[in-house]
Amino acid sequence: MERGTTLKHLSQSNRYWLEENRYKELKYFCLQYPEWKKQYMSLTGLSQAPENPTQKTGHGNPTARCAIAMDELDTKMAKVEQAAKETDTILANYILRGVTEGLSYGQLEPPCSRDTYYRYCRKFFWTLDQIKS
């Protein structure tokens, strides 16, 4: 079973249409949000290296590496948060939890209908696409 919000296929004439692979790319981008947040919180010490096994360790300024890693993580998280806020200020927290934690309408119980929630999810991914482009 696939994790996360799965949106129905939209006609290309729909304003919020995204190519299927672009939608999947954005979906999995969002599902990384909890890990980014965890990594960001772990980078509180000045000499700590990011918890990223792919990052090469070596000589250099660990404080600068830490600051760069924090900035990159903050930028990614901010894009997701901005897209949620621009989509709808009332549903922003529901949308953010849904797309970053893989929660469905039934698990979130937002103050709107199922159709309305998923319409805003489509708008969210369209908005995120605009922000990332």
Side-chain angles (χ1 to χ4, degrees), residues 91 95 105 111-122:
L91 296 177
I95 293 168
Y105 172 85
C112 63
S113 72
R114 179 182 203 89
D115 288 343
T116 299
Y117 173 75
Y118 286 113
R119 184 174 64 245
Y120 279 111
C121 283
R122 286 185 203 98

Side-chain angles (χ1 to χ4, degrees), residues 97-109:
R97 286 198 60 219
V99 300
T100 63
E101 298 175 33
L103 301 175
S104 68
Y105 172 85
Q107 293 168 303
L108 292 167
E109 299 181 0

